[in-house]
Amino acid sequence: MKGYFEGVFTALITPFNQSGVNFDELGRLIDFQIDGGVDGLVVLGTTGEPSTMTEEEKTEVIKYCVKKADKRVKIIIGTGNNDTAKAVASSIKAEKLGADGILAVTPYYNKCTQRGIYEYYKAICEAVKIPVIAYNVPSRTGVNITPETAEKLANIPNMESIKEASGIMAQTMETMRRIRGKMNLFSGEDALNLPIMAIGGAGVISVASNVAPKLVTKMVKLARDNKFDEAMKIQDLILPLENALFCEVNPIPVKAAMNMLGFAAGTPRAPLTELEDEHKKVLQAEIKKVGLI
């Protein structure tokens, strides 16, 4: 399967307050993203902090986002786990609650083999009918989806895409070569959005588009139209901001950035902490440089 998801998908933050999830602000964020021209939202991905949310909170967030989006954009739900059975159960629940697709990170900490990675995604895909996106981010999970394994995954009927966030461009190019025409590839590394688009990427799953949806969507559209000179100008403009958004572990900086933009994003849940003061100054300066404040 390929072609169902294309364009810009924002890895959406989850705003918190003292009572829990701030649903009023979540609604504002969704409208901000849709007004910014994004094609979809990834809810409860790494940026959404699901690891520190209760099951009840996650269920209510899925319900709310599906209803609020109201088919204006596609909603993809993060369901990955280091327990295949739990990942399958979460994927089934997301489908029942109206998700358009699933984003499943590789099993973390357990450090399974390439065979284990394949069987994990096969089990998820067989449990649901909606499209599934594999998420390769070895810096967080400790395991890497090799190009050879990606090629095998591309033969699973509802495996739609791979979100590639290894940060290794040579590997990404080889993966793209092996899956081209069978399965989409999304950039999961904002700093590499443009080069990944240049080798045939279907789009981006972006942290930076939380802050600058119009700029990210404009850059991706230009790249998809093969207007790379114009796309490069935008990427050159926003690259320092993208780097600043990863000066500490995601989503610490992006939540600080959204607070700077006037949203009540709140603070990350422990063990994550607020952005350090010296990093706040750098981040605010980069937000100003691109004209967002």
Side-chain angles (χ1 to χ4, degrees):
M1 171 185 275
K2 73 183 288 284
Y4 187 74
F5 298 130
E6 293 180 334
V8 175
F9 288 76
T10 297
L12 194 66
I13 65 167
T14 304
F16 298 123
N17 56 26
Q18 291 182 339
S19 301
V21 177
N22 186 340
F23 285 99
D24 289 340
E25 203 62 14
L26 181 57
R28 283 188 67 209
L29 290 167
I30 291 170
D31 284 337
F32 177 66
Q33 290 299 312
I34 294 172
D35 290 345
V38 303
D39 299 281
L41 302 171
V42 174
V43 177
L44 301 179
T46 304
T47 311
E49 302 178 73
S51 61
T52 49
M53 294 171 65
T54 67
E55 288 302 313
E56 181 182 1
E57 284 178 325
K58 287 187 280 189
T59 297
E60 291 307 308
V61 164
I62 296 169
K63 289 179 179 178
Y64 182 87
C65 290
V66 169
K67 184 177 180 180
K68 180 67 177 178
D70 194 26
K71 300 297 182 183
R72 292 179 290 168
V73 294
K74 291 185 171 72
I75 298 293
I76 299 172
I77 304 299
T79 63
N81 203 288
N82 66 335
D83 178 339
T84 298
K86 288 180 180 178
V88 166
S90 295
S91 300
I92 292 170
K93 177 194 282 189
E95 182 177 37
K96 288 180 178 179
L97 293 176
D100 295 296
I102 296 300
L103 175 72
V105 71
T106 53
Y108 42 86
Y109 189 75
N110 297 356
K111 299 187 74 171
C112 60
T113 63
Q114 294 299 303
R115 178 184 172 188
I117 290 172
Y118 175 82
E119 294 295 340
Y120 167 81
Y121 284 114
K122 182 172 178 284
I124 293 171
C125 287
E126 288 178 345
V128 297
K129 295 180 180 178
I130 54 178
V132 176
I133 303 174
Y135 181 13
N136 189 38
V137 57
S139 63
R140 280 186 179 268
T141 64
V143 294
N144 177 45
I145 301 176
T146 65
E148 293 82 3
T149 298
E151 186 175 17
K152 292 177 182 177
L153 293 176
N155 293 318
I156 299 174
N158 57 328
M159 180 59 73
E160 204 276 348
S161 311
I162 180 169
K163 176 186 176 184
E164 178 51 61
S166 68
I168 305 170
M169 199 61 204
Q171 173 178 294
T172 303
M173 292 175 70
E174 177 61 14
T175 295
M176 186 75 255
R177 184 185 75 82
R178 287 174 176 264
I179 68 172
R180 198 181 304 278
K182 304 174 186 176
M183 180 170 74
N184 279 336
L185 186 144
F186 277 82
S187 171
E189 189 90 21
D190 276 308
L192 296 179
N193 284 347
L194 188 56
I196 287 176
M197 292 300 298
I199 64 168
V204 304
I205 296 176
S206 172
V207 173
S209 60
N210 276 282
V211 182
K214 290 182 180 179
L215 286 171
V216 176
T217 54
K218 186 176 180 180
M219 187 278 291
V220 169
K221 185 179 186 305
L222 288 167
R224 293 179 71 187
D225 291 340
N226 291 316
K227 297 178 180 178
F228 284 100
D229 287 344
E230 295 176 62
M232 204 175 304
K233 291 177 183 177
I234 297 176
Q235 184 64 13
D236 284 350
L237 173 67
I238 63 177
L239 183 59
L241 171 60
E242 291 169 341
N243 290 334
L245 287 169
F246 291 91
C247 63
E248 293 182 27
V249 69
N250 181 48
I252 292 174
V254 70
K255 294 198 89 168
M258 297 309 289
N259 286 325
M260 292 174 191
L261 291 182
F263 291 94
T267 57
R269 284 184 171 172
L272 300 184
T273 51
E274 287 193 69
L275 190 65
E276 299 293 334
D277 287 342
E278 63 268 29
H279 293 151
K280 285 182 182 177
K281 294 176 183 177
V282 173
L283 180 58
Q284 189 168 47
E286 294 303 336
I287 292 173
K288 288 180 177 178
K289 283 179 185 177
V290 299
L292 298 175
I293 55 175

